[in-house]
């Protein structure tokens, strides 16, 4: 079992562009959901923004999984790609 510090360092990698993409997509989906809750837009706009927020959330999740897998200590250094 790995420590929380080890788990945190596998995800917190500000020198990698993949890390910033992950943060960007997750933040953008959060802002879109906040917009929907605060403004109560018409149904058409609500639907479009909801689809974009869901898509951003899924992309952010995929990038998080990808970042987690690429920093697996069990993988060899030659198998991992650098961004």
């Amino acid at each position: 079992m790995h420590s929380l510090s080890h788990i945190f360092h596998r995800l917190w990698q500000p020198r990698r562009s993949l890390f910033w993409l992950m943060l960007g997509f997750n933040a953008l989906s959060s802002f879109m959901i906040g917009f929907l809750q605060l403004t109560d837009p018409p149904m058409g706009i609500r639907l479009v923004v909801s689809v974009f927020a869901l898509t951003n959330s899924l992309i952010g999740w995929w990038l998080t999984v990808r970042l987690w897998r690429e920093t697996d200590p069990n993988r060899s250094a030659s198998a991992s790609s650098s961004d």
Side-chain angles (χ1 to χ4, degrees), residues 3-81:
S3 68
L4 286 176
S5 173
H6 176 75
I7 291 169
F8 178 74
H9 286 295
R10 280 184 70 184
L11 292 178
W12 184 262
Q13 299 184 29
R15 292 186 178 163
R16 296 192 63 195
S17 59
L18 191 60
F19 169 78
W20 292 106
L21 278 173
M22 172 195 69
L23 283 184
F25 277 107
N26 287 325
L28 189 56
S29 63
S30 296
F31 286 127
M32 283 191 250
I33 295 300
F35 167 77
L36 290 175
Q37 291 179 348
L38 292 175
T39 61
D40 194 29
M43 188 51 121
I45 294 173
R46 179 179 290 277
L47 182 63
V48 169
V49 174
S50 295
V51 168
F52 282 145
L54 181 60
T55 303
N56 277 325
S57 173
L58 292 173
I59 292 170
W61 175 81
W62 176 72
L63 290 170
T64 302
V65 170
R66 190 172 150 200
L67 184 65
W68 181 263
R69 287 182 180 164
E70 288 180 5
T71 57
D72 184 4
N74 298 327
R75 288 180 59 173
S76 65
S78 62
S80 65
S81 63

